[in-house]
Amino acid sequence: MDILIKAMAQNGDVRIIAAETTGMVSEAARIHGTSPTATAAFGRMLTAGSIMGSMLKNREDSITIQIDGGGPAKGILVTGRTNGLVKGYIVNPEADLPLNQKGKLDVGGLVGREGNLTVIMDQGLREPYVSSVPLYTGEIAEDLAYYYTTSEQLPSAVSLGVLVDTDGSVKKAGGFMIQMMPGANEHIADIIMYRLEEIPSLTAMLSEGKSIKDIISYIFEDMGLEIHEEKVPALYCDCSRASVEKALISIGTEELRKICDDGKDEELVCHFCNTTYIFTNSDLKKLISELESGK
Ligand SMILES: [Zn+2]
């Protein structure tokens, strides 16, 4: 079952957030019809979104991560919330690439390396906080670690893994983020880095049947690991007919009339959850007349 764990180690010097997201990534792959490489790229982003979202303080807050390196994926965007819920889309879900030189799904190639990783934090203030870093590898985990280390001054290790089976289904997915809090002992960071280099890959450990909790306990067993919170990461979407109607209105009466003039019904699809909203021609006419009468 999918789970997200928030923990500390070394008396609060180290923050750990880890998640197993196999179910969530499988569902996203099904809804979005992703190719194997796109499943890996999108799955890593969704996992990151649930981990980063869970670091927010208030229920209403959200964090959006956008990545576009000019590759065939044409960009991926995810939005996470504090309870581990996440939504997202990949612009070109059918894009795929041959395996890379290491025999792995070429996520870096699909995302591309000529572009930026942008993080938008909406904490209910007038302006959201926006920060951007150039892409480093396009493999996502390394790019996020680079973002936290340079933009937030929090030295971080990020691991994200999606194991896609030969039939294209998701075998395992998960990730973890380890951050050194300000003032933490640098020696501890060295020990953690050394351990992370020594252990098998995250997907290898998950495939062996280890739970995400087992994996974290294994890395931090002698460092006073304290688990504070457990959540269930999952996909969500907050779209509704009313929100789609609002978007439709925002294009203006003139544009709406152009759409309406062909006499056809209008089909609008939510990028995040692929729900289709149909506005019949008479719905559109009604909308226009309401706008014109100033209702
Ligand atoms: Zn939706």
Side-chain angles (χ1 to χ4, degrees):
M1 202 190 83
D2 288 0
I3 188 168
L4 185 140
I5 296 162
K6 293 172 78 173
M8 298 293 260
Q10 287 292 122
N11 296 314
D13 274 359
V14 186
R15 167 158 72 178
I16 305 136
I17 304 172
E20 176 164 0
T21 54
T22 309
M24 180 175 90
V25 174
S26 300
E27 197 189 340
R30 183 184 59 75
I31 293 171
H32 292 264
T34 44
S35 76
T37 315
T39 299
F42 190 36
R44 287 186 197 175
M45 282 288 280
L46 286 166
T47 303
S50 68
I51 288 174
M52 289 164 71
S54 75
M55 289 157 69
L56 296 166
K57 289 196 178 70
N58 303 310
R59 261 180 70 99
E60 300 77 26
D61 297 352
S62 69
I63 189 164
T64 295
I65 314 150
Q66 204 176 357
I67 197 165
D68 185 6
K74 296 193 184 299
I76 306 172
L77 180 146
V78 300
T79 297
R81 290 187 171 270
T82 174
N83 42 15
L85 297 185
V86 64
K87 66 176 183 178
Y89 62 84
I90 172 164
V91 177
N92 189 4
E94 285 159 20
D96 206 2
L97 285 177
L99 298 180
N100 64 19
Q101 285 155 339
K102 290 179 193 161
K104 299 248 168 78
L105 292 171
D106 190 3
V107 171
L110 197 80
V111 169
R113 295 171 186 92
E114 303 293 322
N116 292 303
L117 167 82
T118 304
V119 175
I120 303 156
M121 210 151 8
D122 190 346
Q123 292 172 300
L125 303 171
R126 195 137 44 125
E127 294 289 330
Y129 166 82
V130 183
S131 181
S132 208
V133 292
L135 286 177
Y136 181 50
T137 63
E139 295 279 339
I140 302 167
E142 291 86 345
D143 299 296
L144 282 169
Y146 181 68
Y147 164 79
Y148 274 105
T149 306
T150 59
S151 202
E152 309 257 320
Q153 277 90 47
L154 286 174
S156 304
V158 183
S159 176
L160 299 167
V162 178
L163 189 64
V164 180
D165 215 341
T166 44
D167 65 358
S169 66
V170 177
K171 222 171 170 179
K172 289 284 172 189
F176 60 74
M177 166 137 57
I178 298 164
Q179 290 185 323
M180 302 305 294
M181 294 289 103
N185 185 338
E186 278 178 32
H187 183 57
I188 297 297
D190 291 341
I191 294 172
I192 295 170
M193 288 312 285
Y194 177 76
R195 283 192 189 172
L196 293 178
E197 279 166 26
E198 292 298 300
I199 59 172
S201 76
L202 177 64
T203 45
M205 291 189 283
L206 288 170
S207 299
E208 280 168 19
K210 287 195 173 73
S211 71
I212 197 78
K213 210 186 269 185
D214 293 339
I215 294 166
I216 293 305
S217 305
Y218 173 63
I219 302 171
F220 294 96
E221 57 171 345
D222 55 352
M223 292 192 186
L225 180 72
E226 292 170 56
I227 293 176
H228 292 292
E229 251 183 283
E230 292 184 10
K231 294 166 194 276
V232 180
L235 294 179
Y236 85 101
C237 193
D238 45 8
C239 69
S240 64
R241 193 174 169 85
S243 67
V244 174
E245 191 178 283
K246 222 166 133 187
L248 207 51
I249 290 169
S250 74
I251 66 169
T253 327
E254 206 172 312
E255 284 299 313
L256 261 179
R257 202 187 300 278
K258 275 184 204 161
I259 295 171
C260 188
D261 278 350
D262 65 4
K264 289 182 194 148
D265 297 347
E266 202 53 35
E267 230 181 65
L268 293 153
V269 180
C270 173
H271 291 309
F272 292 102
C273 67
N274 265 356
T275 302
T276 305
Y277 294 91
I278 295 167
F279 287 79
T280 63
N281 200 252
S282 65
D283 288 339
L284 293 170
K285 280 185 184 137
K286 199 167 152 239
L287 211 57
I288 293 168
S289 73
E290 275 174 10
L291 280 172
E292 284 176 338
S293 68
K295 262 202 257 177

